[in-house]
Amino acid sequence: MSRPPLPPFNEQTAIEKVRLAEDGWNSRDPAKVAQAYTVDTRWRNRAEFVTSRAEAEAFLTRKWNRELDYRLIKEIWAFQGNRIAVRYAYEYRDDSGQWFRAYGNENWEFAEDGLMRARHASINEHPIAEAERKFRWPLGRRPDDHPGLSDFGF
């Protein structure tokens, strides 16, 4: 199985890879998203460590069961060879209705087939009022004309 675009990345293919990852995560479909990772993928996500595609799918299931109305924007930071660095922000609410905005950075490493074999994430979040939300598109893929992170100054 191949997951284009494939490394080594150039600016255009790195930007495309970032947008495809954003679109996948905005689907909030753990089984679909997990297919973008190698079977032996390694993640560090806050204090949680994932060491397989199956664990990634379980992690994402837990995440989206708790982070409701999740909307994410990713933006490329740097790329070289088979690695891409991104920054991102996402908004969600918990089951009590409290909204949050999370900010983070990820470092990605890809196998030759374009599957992600390593994901290292650093994330901070804070509560926000519903009126402070910026990501208000309908659930799913962010519209192409929606502002990106730099447009918000995030």
Side-chain angles (χ1 to χ4, degrees), residues 75-112:
E75 185 174 281
I76 192 165
W77 185 254
F79 67 93
Q80 183 177 9
N82 70 336
R83 293 181 174 170
I84 299 175
V86 299
R87 60 191 204 89
Y88 60 91
Y90 63 89
E91 294 178 347
Y92 71 93
R93 67 174 176 82
D94 65 16
D95 60 1
S96 73
Q98 174 62 58
W99 283 92
F100 295 87
R101 183 174 304 124
Y103 304 92
N105 298 293
E106 292 178 339
N107 296 312
W108 300 340
E109 182 180 79
F110 293 88
E112 290 177 359

Side-chain angles (χ1 to χ4, degrees), residues 25-119:
W25 281 58
N26 276 327
S27 76
R28 297 172 336 279
D29 181 338
K32 176 184 170 189
V33 172
Q35 293 304 306
Y37 301 91
T38 61
V39 294
D40 61 347
T41 192
R42 297 176 329 275
W43 292 15
R44 181 189 48 77
N45 194 94
R46 301 180 196 232
E48 194 161 350
F49 296 84
V50 169
T51 59
S52 70
R53 182 185 291 161
E55 287 182 18
E57 184 175 344
F59 168 88
L60 293 168
T61 299
R62 288 191 309 278
K63 174 182 181 63
W64 291 320
N65 282 337
R66 140 182 113 251
E67 295 179 0
L68 308 174
D69 295 322
Y70 177 95
R71 291 170 178 86
L72 164 75
I73 299 176
K74 290 184 181 284
E75 185 174 281
I76 192 165
W77 185 254
F79 67 93
Q80 183 177 9
N82 70 336
R83 293 181 174 170
I84 299 175
V86 299
R87 60 191 204 89
Y88 60 91
Y90 63 89
E91 294 178 347
Y92 71 93
R93 67 174 176 82
D94 65 16
D95 60 1
S96 73
Q98 174 62 58
W99 283 92
F100 295 87
R101 183 174 304 124
Y103 304 92
N105 298 293
E106 292 178 339
N107 296 312
W108 300 340
E109 182 180 79
F110 293 88
E112 290 177 359
D113 60 6
L115 295 175
M116 192 182 301
R117 88 171 131 223
R119 174 184 172 268

